[in-house]
């Protein structure tokens, strides 16, 4: 796959969006390329939350429309390569996830991992970096979803507002978020290795950034996703206005 075009594995939607917000959805797809033989997984596993973030892409698309914001999304399953992880991270190509073993990832050699990185991660990295560098002061917002029950434990949090070393945007959102059980750095946080995109493209450049995690039972249908997108658009618009970003929406 050395001649693969970057657009095969990453999509840029609303490329001419006028908003300062740059949306990212690393786990938008459950697609596993044919040559990887489904990673040895059955259909249930391939469509479960271990393979992607159900509902996240629909929310991100609604946000993109509401804010007139560019959206960068991955076209491959997080099990093929998790684009929110650096190549050296074990769970960039996980051998297991929750109750599932991932046979196609269990015996990856160093060469295999390098090939996956070059084929699936590097195009995503290049594309997102290009979108970031094309803007004066981008606001990086990544959209994810999480399962209501993980390893047998129920999660009460409904929306997580996550940040790494720069809490500015997270603080502003948390100060006025309503209607849901909204928590800081939950159900994951920086210590869980989930802030890779924020660190590389936001924190390192001094740009405002935040990761939004939505419990996936709240965004099961298109209507749910649209409604959630509108809620988040209002939160972001108000938060950015308070910070002093006036180009949230053209």
């Amino acid at each position: 796959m050395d001649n693969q075009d970057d657009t095969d594995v990453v999509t840029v939607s609303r490329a001419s969006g006028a908003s300062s917000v740059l949306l990212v959805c690393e786990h938008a797809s459950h697609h596993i390329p044919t040559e990887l033989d489904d990673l040895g997984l059955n259909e249930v596993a391939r469509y479960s939350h271990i393979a992607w973030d159900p509902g996240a892409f629909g929310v991100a698309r609604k946000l993109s429309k509401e804010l007139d914001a560019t959206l960068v999304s991955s076209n491959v399953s997080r099990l093929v390569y998790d684009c929110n992880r650096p190549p050296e991270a074990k769970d960039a190509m996980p051998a297991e996830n929750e109750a599932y073993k991932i046979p196609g990832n269990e015996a990856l050699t160093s060469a295999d991992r390098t090939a996956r990185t070059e084929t699936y991660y590097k195009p995503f990295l290049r594309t997102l970096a290009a979108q970031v560098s094309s803007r004066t002061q981008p606001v990086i917002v990544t959209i994810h979803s999480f399962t209501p029950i993980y390893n047998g434990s129920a999660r009460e949090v409904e929306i997580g507002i996550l940040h790494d070393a720069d809490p500015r945007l997270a603080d502003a959102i948390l100060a006025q978020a309503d209607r849901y059980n909204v928590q800081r750095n939950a159900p994951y946080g920086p210590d869980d290795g989930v802030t890779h995109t924020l660190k590389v493209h936001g924190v390192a450049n001094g740009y405002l950034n935040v990761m939004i995690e939505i419990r996936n039972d709240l965004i099961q249908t298109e209507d749910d996703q649209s409604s959630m997108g509108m809620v988040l658009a209002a939160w972001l618009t108000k938060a950015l206005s308070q910070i002093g970003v006036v180009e949230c929406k053209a």
Side-chain angles (χ1 to χ4, degrees):
M1 302 182 68
D2 292 342
N3 296 321
Q4 177 173 332
D5 189 277
D6 285 2
T7 57
D8 291 340
V9 295
V10 60
T11 294
V12 177
S13 306
R14 203 174 290 271
S16 59
S19 176
S20 300
V21 172
L22 177 58
L23 296 166
V24 186
C25 194
E26 301 99 320
H27 306 152
S29 175
H30 52 66
H31 174 66
I32 300 174
T34 303
E35 61 270 20
L36 296 180
D37 296 322
D38 294 330
L39 296 176
L41 297 169
N42 62 30
E43 185 175 5
V44 172
R46 295 197 309 273
Y47 286 89
S48 75
H49 70 271
I50 72 163
W52 65 322
D53 282 357
F57 185 54
V59 174
R61 283 190 300 181
K62 181 62 174 179
L63 264 174
S64 176
K65 180 179 179 181
E66 290 296 306
L67 300 178
D68 191 23
T70 298
L71 167 62
V72 178
S73 55
S74 172
N75 297 335
V76 295
S77 170
R78 63 191 297 174
L79 300 179
V80 174
Y81 190 101
D82 186 334
C83 287
N84 192 31
R85 300 291 190 278
E88 64 272 16
K90 184 178 179 181
D91 52 355
M93 293 155 265
E96 58 182 298
N97 188 310
E98 199 175 1
Y100 294 92
K101 300 288 186 181
I102 319 299
N105 290 348
E106 288 183 329
L108 292 177
T109 65
S110 177
D112 292 333
R113 292 181 67 88
T114 296
R116 291 261 192 105
T117 299
E118 293 294 327
T119 302
Y120 304 109
Y121 174 65
K122 291 292 183 68
F124 184 87
L125 182 68
R126 286 192 296 266
T127 300
L128 181 51
Q131 290 295 324
V132 170
S133 65
S134 71
R135 292 161 169 77
T136 302
Q137 287 290 326
V139 176
I140 299 167
V141 179
T142 70
I143 304 298
H144 294 257
S145 72
F146 63 94
T147 180
I149 299 175
Y150 186 74
N151 282 330
S153 297
R155 289 159 157 171
E156 293 185 3
V157 57
E158 294 179 311
I159 300 177
I161 306 298
L162 283 61
H163 63 84
D164 201 273
D166 180 358
R168 290 175 295 168
L169 183 50
D171 287 348
I173 294 172
L174 287 162
Q176 49 84 41
D178 56 9
R179 294 180 54 185
Y180 295 96
N181 182 338
V182 183
Q183 298 182 25
R184 182 190 302 271
N185 285 335
Y188 309 106
D191 291 343
D192 300 301
V194 300
T195 55
H196 174 64
T197 296
L198 300 187
K199 291 193 293 184
V200 170
H201 301 283
V203 176
N205 296 312
Y207 299 143
L208 290 168
N209 63 89
V210 73
M211 177 177 176
I212 301 177
E213 284 269 9
I214 309 155
R215 207 174 66 194
N216 67 32
D217 60 324
L218 301 176
I219 50 173
Q220 292 181 335
T221 68
E222 289 187 9
D223 286 346
D224 293 339
Q225 294 157 22
S226 180
S227 295
M228 182 62 71
M230 293 180 69
V231 169
L232 297 181
W235 289 1
L236 279 164
T237 300
K238 185 174 180 180
L240 289 169
S241 177
Q242 291 174 347
I243 292 172
V245 178
V246 296
E247 295 182 4
C248 182
K249 184 172 182 180

